[in-house]
Every structure is written in C-alpha cells, then in structure tokens.
C-alpha cells in the first residue's frame, strides 16, 4: 500500500507537468487551450507522427499512422457522433538539431492536408495547435473514449481515469493489459463500435507497475542512465 501511494504521487507529479518528463516535448512551445466545453465529444483521437518510426512496432493491420488515422475517422463518422482529433505536439516543434524541424514540418503538412477535407464537419473538433493535453483532459466528459495507436498519451489518459483503445503493437508490453487492444483491423473496428460500458479500465496496480519501470528505473527508457540518454550527453 505504501509503495502504491508513492507511485500515485509520482504519477501526479509527472502528469501535471508531462513536458518535463518526455524529452520530445522540450522543443515545442505550447499555447493555452481556450475552448471551455468539451463534454459533448464522445471520442478523442491522438494523431501520431506520419514520418517517424513507421516500422518501429509489429504490423497490426495498418502500414502507417496516416492509414490508421483515416480508418479511425471513417469508422467514427459512421456512428454519427461528435469527436476530437488532436495534433501531436511534435508537429510544431522547433529545434536547432539538423533535420528535426524539417521532419516536424512534413508531419504538419500531412496533417493539414488530411483535415482540410473534413474541417467543415461540425461533429469533428480538429485541434491543430500545440496545446498541453492536461488542459484538454480536465475538460472532457469522463466517458469520453481515448484512441491512440501506440502513443505515450495512453498513460496520461489512464492516469486521468479514461478508458483507452490502443494497438497491441505498442511500446508497453500487452501482458499489462492496460488498454482495450487490437492486433488487426477487424478487432479494431469492433472496439470502435463498442459502447463505453463494454470497454475496460486499466487496473491501477498494473498501471503503477508500468510507471515504476518507465520512470523510476534509471536504466529504462526515461531514466538518466538509459544508454541513449548517456550517448546524448
């Protein structure tokens, strides 16, 4: 119980200041989110980079994140509901590191080209500015369903007590069973068509175990002694 309380405090610290813990958010200038009422939206989709790491995870029915985004939007539009599409903050990053800003510009152009065909749909809110997810999460209805292919935002939204749909091909081992997972298009379509009551929450003990592995273990991916972090210094 004491260990869980410590991990709960750690999680609160991380997810109320997430940009301090995820290195890829350091190069983005965030803006305040001014829309006050998001309670009417039933889903929120988190877009991914369209150019970076497309072969990082095993095949799950989609060859890239653009195909996944198009499929997701198409399926939700069939349900005649209101939903949100949020840009990845990396689309707006500015860095002195050669190539990083160029990649971000490519992602932004692909995203803008994609939503140009749907931005007149009154049932879809397109967020095309870099805003902190915390400012959005606290304004959503608690029965809003979170959809991400493999993003770290799944951990943030689990912390905020949302039900989450993700690919099984993920940076988190599926054995933890934190989300409602698919590994092919048919299973994904079935998940998108389930009601909120039919989806599951993550179990807190397993969630905190993942948080401990990622953020407290100093040799793991977000630890200061992870080999990539050492090579960068």
């Amino acid at each position: 119980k004491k260990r869980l309380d410590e991990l709960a405090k750690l999680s609160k610290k991380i997810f109320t200041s997430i940009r301090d813990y995820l290195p890829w958010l350091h190069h983005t200038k965030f803006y305040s989110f001014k829309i006050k009422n998001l309670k009417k939206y039933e889903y929120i989709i988190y877009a991914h980079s369209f150019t970076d790491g497309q072969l990082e995870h095993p095949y799950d029915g989609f060859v890239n994140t653009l195909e996944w985004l198009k499929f997701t939007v198409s399926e939700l539009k069939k349900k005649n509901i209101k939903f949100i599409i949020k840009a990845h903050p990396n689309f707006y990053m500015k860095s002195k590191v050669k190539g990083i800003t160029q990649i971000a510009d490519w992602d932004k152009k692909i995203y803008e080209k994609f939503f140009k065909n749907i931005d007149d749909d009154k049932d879809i809110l397109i967020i095309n500015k870099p805003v902190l997810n915390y400012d959005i999460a606290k304004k959503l209805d608690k029965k809003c369903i979170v959809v991400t292919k493999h993003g770290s935002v799944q951990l943030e939204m689990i912390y905020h007590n949302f039900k989450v749909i993700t690919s099984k091909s993920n940076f988190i081992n599926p054995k933890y069973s934190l989300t409602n997972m698919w590994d092919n298009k048919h299973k994904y379509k079935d998940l998108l068509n389930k009601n909120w009551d039919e989806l599951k929450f993550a179990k807190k003990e397993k969630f905190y175990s993942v948080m401990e592995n990622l953020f407290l273990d100093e040799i793991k991916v977000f630890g200061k002694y992870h080999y990539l972090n050492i090579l960068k210094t």
Side-chain angles (χ1 to χ4, degrees):
K1 177 67 165 62
K2 183 179 179 181
R3 189 60 174 157
L4 287 179
D5 288 342
E6 290 175 354
L7 290 170
K9 290 179 181 178
L10 169 73
S11 298
K12 182 177 181 180
K13 182 179 180 181
I14 291 170
F15 293 123
T16 53
S17 55
I18 192 67
R19 65 179 300 179
D20 296 328
Y21 289 87
L22 299 182
W24 55 86
L25 298 183
H26 294 172
H27 301 295
T28 301
K29 179 182 178 182
F30 290 89
Y31 296 89
S32 60
F33 188 69
K34 296 181 180 179
I35 299 177
K36 294 182 178 180
N37 184 16
L38 298 180
K39 302 291 186 184
K40 61 185 178 181
Y41 296 100
E42 296 184 42
Y43 288 78
I44 181 167
I45 307 167
Y46 288 90
H48 298 273
S49 170
F50 305 109
T51 59
D52 182 41
Q54 297 300 291
L55 301 177
E56 182 178 0
H57 303 290
Y59 181 68
D60 58 6
F62 301 96
V63 296
N64 55 54
T65 55
L66 181 58
E67 181 190 359
W68 164 80
L69 182 60
K70 288 179 177 178
F71 181 90
T72 306
V73 171
S74 175
E75 289 301 313
L76 292 186
K77 285 181 74 172
K78 293 175 186 176
K79 299 181 71 171
N80 294 316
I81 57 169
K82 297 182 183 296
F83 60 93
I84 301 167
I85 308 172
K86 183 183 182 296
H88 195 288
N90 277 10
F91 296 173
Y92 307 94
M93 73 161 67
K94 300 295 180 185
S95 172
K96 295 179 181 179
V97 179
K98 184 178 180 181
I100 288 183
T101 299
Q102 184 182 29
I103 291 172
D105 288 340
W106 289 341
D107 276 336
K108 183 181 176 183
K109 287 177 182 177
I110 294 170
Y111 185 65
E112 289 177 344
K113 182 179 179 181
F114 167 73
F115 73 67
K116 189 178 291 183
N117 296 323
I118 59 174
D119 62 0
D120 61 343
D121 191 321
K122 303 269 192 251
D123 290 330
I124 304 175
L125 171 61
I126 297 170
I127 299 175
N128 57 350
K129 293 181 179 180
V131 294
L132 285 170
N133 191 53
Y134 176 76
D135 293 337
I136 295 173
K138 63 187 180 182
K139 297 177 182 179
L140 293 170
D141 186 274
K142 283 301 179 181
K143 287 192 174 183
C144 183
I145 297 170
V146 174
V147 185
T148 174
K149 192 173 185 294
H150 51 246
S152 59
V153 72
Q154 64 189 284
L155 295 174
E156 186 176 359
M157 297 308 275
I158 288 170
Y159 170 77
H160 290 301
N161 211 33
F162 289 92
K163 293 182 178 182
V164 182
I165 296 174
T166 72
S167 170
K168 196 173 183 179
S169 300
N170 208 312
F171 76 103
I172 297 173
N173 193 313
K175 74 177 183 180
Y176 289 102
S177 193
L178 295 184
T179 62
N180 302 271
M181 293 178 286
W182 86 85
D183 56 13
N184 61 60
K185 281 186 179 180
H186 297 294
K187 290 182 181 178
Y188 184 42
K189 185 174 181 178
D190 287 343
L191 283 174
L192 291 177
N193 282 289
K194 286 183 180 294
N195 296 322
W196 183 87
D197 293 331
E198 298 175 285
L199 299 173
K200 67 178 183 181
F201 285 110
K203 292 184 177 178
K204 289 296 182 183
E205 294 83 359
K206 291 184 177 181
F207 168 69
Y208 289 137
S209 179
V210 170
M211 292 297 296
E212 184 173 25
N213 287 333
L214 287 177
F215 292 97
L216 285 186
D217 190 330
E218 292 186 331
I219 66 169
K220 291 294 177 64
V221 63
F222 299 127
K224 63 181 178 180
Y225 296 127
H226 186 262
Y227 75 96
L228 288 178
N229 292 328
I230 293 173
L231 289 172
K232 285 189 296 185
T233 59

